[in-house]
Amino acid sequence: SSAKVFGAAQRMLACGLVDAAIVGGVDSLCLTTLYGFNSLQLISRDPCRPFDAQRDGISIGEAGAFALVELAREPAAGEILVSGVGESSDGHHMSAPHPEGEGARLAMQQALRSAGLQPGDIDYIALHGTATPSNDAAEDKAVSGLFGAATPCSSVKGHLGHTLGAAGAVNAVVCALALRHGLAPAGAGTHQLDPALRSRYLLAPLQQPLRHTLSNSFGFGGSNCSLVLSKVAA
């Protein structure tokens, strides 16, 4: 996951190995990717609908997202920080997530501990939100079990599709922009929320001050990463 690059950069900066790092990810569509996901019966015939009652698979997208990360010795008001990183590898299945979202929850808990925060401190969650029935259900159990049903969340995959190797970096940039503009974005393409899911999935953007956001990026084999991005208070 390209999200793990942010964590690696944070650790290198903290150890004094580098002064700054350009981090991110990029992925482009190719037939190998298309045939591979199609063989797993994960691709929807329609634009994907994260957390929708009728969701039936992913849409593959192309993207690139990069950020310059520096050690913030004396961060100024309004600056965006990578304040916490959490990783886990539950190894539940080659391609399916743990049905209770155990690995996802571990990654989120580690990110919160790394940032010195409690679940109630998070103002918005950028979900992994692939729009497959099992992935959304598992992530919802992990998110609602840890944060309850009040924390606003959404998935940008309804806008962009699943950008694969770029997805983690895209989510991190979305969280940074959300903090900068005080806007929790709504998901696109979702028409009727699945009543079995308990998280507060946004169908309309929410304009309010944001201090801390969480970005989720989960991969095959239970390779999970969560980032906390924070805005320095005035």
Side-chain angles (χ1 to χ4, degrees):
S1 167
S2 54
K4 293 187 176 183
V5 180
F6 283 79
Q10 185 195 50
R11 289 188 287 271
M12 292 175 69
L13 288 163
C15 291
L17 297 176
V18 297
D19 296 319
I22 296 175
V23 298
V26 62
D27 215 331
S28 60
L29 183 62
C30 69
L31 289 178
T32 301
T33 301
L34 184 61
Y35 291 154
F37 278 98
N38 193 54
S39 70
L40 294 171
Q41 299 180 333
L42 293 177
I43 295 180
S44 175
R45 293 180 178 274
D46 303 305
C48 71
R49 297 169 285 180
F51 276 56
D52 193 279
Q54 302 300 318
R55 67 188 185 279
D56 62 353
I58 71 171
S59 300
I60 299 177
E62 299 179 295
F66 295 87
L68 174 64
V69 180
E70 302 174 282
L71 187 62
R73 291 186 173 86
E74 296 182 6
E79 287 189 354
I80 308 300
L81 307 180
V82 180
S83 55
V85 180
E87 298 180 50
S88 71
S89 183
D90 58 48
H92 171 73
H93 186 273
M94 181 66 75
S95 60
H98 190 286
E100 300 299 319
E102 289 185 1
R105 180 163 179 156
L106 279 173
M108 291 187 288
Q109 287 173 325
Q110 288 182 15
L112 289 172
R113 283 197 296 269
S114 175
L117 299 175
Q118 298 298 316
D121 295 322
I122 299 298
D123 300 308
Y124 166 73
I125 302 171
L127 299 168
H128 186 56
T130 64
T132 62
S134 59
N135 273 269
D136 285 5
E139 186 174 13
D140 175 74
K141 287 183 179 179
V143 169
S144 62
L146 185 57
F147 295 94
T151 304
C153 58
S154 62
S155 168
V156 298
K157 290 181 176 63
H159 300 266
L160 305 174
H162 194 330
T163 56
L164 307 176
V170 167
N171 259 17
V173 170
V174 166
C175 281
L177 291 172
L179 288 165
R180 180 156 294 165
H181 298 287
L183 179 70
T190 302
H191 305 297
Q192 181 179 352
L193 289 172
D194 185 341
L197 306 183
R198 297 179 293 167
S199 301
R200 184 186 174 188
Y201 193 89
L202 296 177
L203 297 181
L206 184 63
Q207 188 89 49
Q208 64 179 30
L210 303 176
R211 179 76 188 280
H212 304 289
T213 61
L214 181 79
S215 170
N216 284 339
S217 300
F218 308 139
F220 280 162
S223 179
N224 310 300
C225 183
S226 295
L227 302 175
V228 176
L229 278 79
S230 303
K231 184 177 182 179
V232 179

mmCIF file of all heavy atoms in Angstrom, residues 66-84:
data_model
loop_
_atom_site.group_PDB
_atom_site.id
_atom_site.type_symbol
_atom_site.label_atom_id
_atom_site.label_comp_id
_atom_site.label_asym_id
_atom_site.label_seq_id
_atom_site.Cartn_x
_atom_site.Cartn_y
_atom_site.Cartn_z
ATOM 1 N N PHE A 66 1.138 12.471 -4.606
ATOM 2 C CA PHE A 66 2.437 12.599 -3.952
ATOM 3 C C PHE A 66 2.414 13.774 -2.978
ATOM 4 O O PHE A 66 1.630 14.716 -3.138
ATOM 5 C CB PHE A 66 3.553 12.813 -4.983
ATOM 6 C CG PHE A 66 3.759 11.631 -5.886
ATOM 7 C CD1 PHE A 66 3.019 11.495 -7.052
ATOM 8 C CD2 PHE A 66 4.664 10.648 -5.546
ATOM 9 C CE1 PHE A 66 3.193 10.405 -7.879
ATOM 10 C CE2 PHE A 66 4.848 9.546 -6.367
ATOM 11 C CZ PHE A 66 4.114 9.423 -7.532
ATOM 12 N N ALA A 67 3.266 13.687 -1.969
ATOM 13 C CA ALA A 67 3.362 14.761 -0.981
ATOM 14 C C ALA A 67 4.811 14.887 -0.536
ATOM 15 O O ALA A 67 5.566 13.903 -0.525
ATOM 16 C CB ALA A 67 2.472 14.472 0.223
ATOM 17 N N LEU A 68 5.201 16.090 -0.170
ATOM 18 C CA LEU A 68 6.509 16.341 0.425
ATOM 19 C C LEU A 68 6.337 16.295 1.939
ATOM 20 O O LEU A 68 5.555 17.049 2.511
ATOM 21 C CB LEU A 68 7.039 17.711 -0.001
ATOM 22 C CG LEU A 68 8.346 18.164 0.665
ATOM 23 C CD1 LEU A 68 9.498 17.236 0.293
ATOM 24 C CD2 LEU A 68 8.665 19.607 0.290
ATOM 25 N N VAL A 69 7.063 15.380 2.581
ATOM 26 C CA VAL A 69 6.972 15.205 4.031
ATOM 27 C C VAL A 69 8.289 15.648 4.654
ATOM 28 O O VAL A 69 9.365 15.193 4.247
ATOM 29 C CB VAL A 69 6.672 13.733 4.394
ATOM 30 C CG1 VAL A 69 6.579 13.564 5.908
ATOM 31 C CG2 VAL A 69 5.389 13.270 3.731
ATOM 32 N N GLU A 70 8.203 16.542 5.639
ATOM 33 C CA GLU A 70 9.385 17.052 6.331
ATOM 34 C C GLU A 70 9.204 16.892 7.831
ATOM 35 O O GLU A 70 8.077 16.772 8.324
ATOM 36 C CB GLU A 70 9.598 18.537 6.013
ATOM 37 C CG GLU A 70 9.765 18.855 4.537
ATOM 38 C CD GLU A 70 9.816 20.348 4.291
ATOM 39 O OE1 GLU A 70 8.743 20.977 4.295
ATOM 40 O OE2 GLU A 70 10.927 20.875 4.104
ATOM 41 N N LEU A 71 10.302 16.884 8.555
ATOM 42 C CA LEU A 71 10.240 16.815 10.010
ATOM 43 C C LEU A 71 9.752 18.152 10.548
ATOM 44 O O LEU A 71 10.344 19.197 10.275
ATOM 45 C CB LEU A 71 11.620 16.479 10.587
ATOM 46 C CG LEU A 71 11.665 16.214 12.092
ATOM 47 C CD1 LEU A 71 10.816 14.996 12.447
ATOM 48 C CD2 LEU A 71 13.100 16.011 12.542
ATOM 49 N N ALA A 72 8.664 18.129 11.318
ATOM 50 C CA ALA A 72 8.062 19.364 11.837
ATOM 51 C C ALA A 72 8.594 19.636 13.246
ATOM 52 O O ALA A 72 8.023 19.198 14.243
ATOM 53 C CB ALA A 72 6.541 19.246 11.852
ATOM 54 N N ARG A 73 9.716 20.339 13.333
ATOM 55 C CA ARG A 73 10.309 20.628 14.644
ATOM 56 C C ARG A 73 9.495 21.678 15.383
ATOM 57 O O ARG A 73 9.292 21.578 16.593
ATOM 58 C CB ARG A 73 11.756 21.078 14.464
ATOM 59 C CG ARG A 73 12.682 19.967 13.988
ATOM 60 C CD ARG A 73 14.138 20.418 13.964
ATOM 61 N NE ARG A 73 15.037 19.298 13.660
ATOM 62 C CZ ARG A 73 15.351 18.909 12.432
ATOM 63 N NH1 ARG A 73 14.835 19.554 11.385
ATOM 64 N NH2 ARG A 73 16.174 17.895 12.239
ATOM 65 N N GLU A 74 9.069 22.708 14.688
ATOM 66 C CA GLU A 74 8.236 23.749 15.286
ATOM 67 C C GLU A 74 7.095 24.044 14.315
ATOM 68 O O GLU A 74 7.102 25.070 13.623
ATOM 69 C CB GLU A 74 9.047 25.005 15.577
ATOM 70 C CG GLU A 74 10.139 24.811 16.621
ATOM 71 C CD GLU A 74 10.897 26.098 16.910
ATOM 72 O OE1 GLU A 74 10.496 27.162 16.388
ATOM 73 O OE2 GLU A 74 11.887 26.041 17.664
ATOM 74 N N PRO A 75 6.106 23.143 14.233
ATOM 75 C CA PRO A 75 5.029 23.317 13.253
ATOM 76 C C PRO A 75 4.227 24.578 13.511
ATOM 77 O O PRO A 75 3.896 24.914 14.650
ATOM 78 C CB PRO A 75 4.180 22.061 13.438
ATOM 79 C CG PRO A 75 4.488 21.573 14.818
ATOM 80 C CD PRO A 75 5.925 21.939 15.065
ATOM 81 N N ALA A 76 3.930 25.275 12.437
ATOM 82 C CA ALA A 76 3.139 26.501 12.531
ATOM 83 C C ALA A 76 1.655 26.173 12.497
ATOM 84 O O ALA A 76 1.240 25.107 12.041
ATOM 85 C CB ALA A 76 3.501 27.430 11.371
ATOM 86 N N ALA A 77 0.859 27.096 12.987
ATOM 87 C CA ALA A 77 -0.592 26.917 12.983
ATOM 88 C C ALA A 77 -1.087 26.696 11.557
ATOM 89 O O ALA A 77 -0.672 27.382 10.624
ATOM 90 C CB ALA A 77 -1.268 28.147 13.583
ATOM 91 N N GLY A 78 -1.946 25.707 11.405
ATOM 92 C CA GLY A 78 -2.520 25.410 10.104
ATOM 93 C C GLY A 78 -1.769 24.366 9.308
ATOM 94 O O GLY A 78 -2.287 23.859 8.308
ATOM 95 N N GLU A 79 -0.542 24.005 9.719
ATOM 96 C CA GLU A 79 0.206 22.984 9.006
ATOM 97 C C GLU A 79 -0.425 21.609 9.207
ATOM 98 O O GLU A 79 -1.051 21.336 10.229
ATOM 99 C CB GLU A 79 1.664 22.962 9.461
ATOM 100 C CG GLU A 79 2.476 24.136 8.950
ATOM 101 C CD GLU A 79 3.957 23.982 9.224
ATOM 102 O OE1 GLU A 79 4.347 23.016 9.902
ATOM 103 O OE2 GLU A 79 4.715 24.840 8.755
ATOM 104 N N ILE A 80 -0.245 20.738 8.216
ATOM 105 C CA ILE A 80 -0.806 19.391 8.248
ATOM 106 C C ILE A 80 0.305 18.414 8.626
ATOM 107 O O ILE A 80 1.374 18.405 8.000
ATOM 108 C CB ILE A 80 -1.411 19.000 6.887
ATOM 109 C CG1 ILE A 80 -2.394 20.074 6.393
ATOM 110 C CG2 ILE A 80 -2.087 17.637 6.985
ATOM 111 C CD1 ILE A 80 -3.560 20.324 7.296
ATOM 112 N N LEU A 81 0.067 17.586 9.620
ATOM 113 C CA LEU A 81 1.041 16.637 10.113
ATOM 114 C C LEU A 81 0.579 15.203 9.884
ATOM 115 O O LEU A 81 -0.617 14.909 9.998
ATOM 116 C CB LEU A 81 1.276 16.825 11.619
ATOM 117 C CG LEU A 81 1.644 18.222 12.127
ATOM 118 C CD1 LEU A 81 1.818 18.181 13.637
ATOM 119 C CD2 LEU A 81 2.916 18.722 11.461
ATOM 120 N N VAL A 82 1.528 14.321 9.568
ATOM 121 C CA VAL A 82 1.269 12.881 9.667
ATOM 122 C C VAL A 82 1.559 12.534 11.122
ATOM 123 O O VAL A 82 2.700 12.321 11.518
ATOM 124 C CB VAL A 82 2.169 12.065 8.715
ATOM 125 C CG1 VAL A 82 1.861 10.577 8.855
ATOM 126 C CG2 VAL A 82 1.969 12.509 7.276
ATOM 127 N N SER A 83 0.515 12.499 11.943
ATOM 128 C CA SER A 83 0.710 12.400 13.391
ATOM 129 C C SER A 83 0.658 10.970 13.911
ATOM 130 O O SER A 83 1.055 10.713 15.050
ATOM 131 C CB SER A 83 -0.346 13.256 14.116
ATOM 132 O OG SER A 83 -1.652 12.891 13.715
ATOM 133 N N GLY A 84 0.176 10.032 13.109
ATOM 134 C CA GLY A 84 0.100 8.655 13.578
ATOM 135 C C GLY A 84 0.079 7.669 12.426
ATOM 136 O O GLY A 84 -0.488 7.956 11.368
#
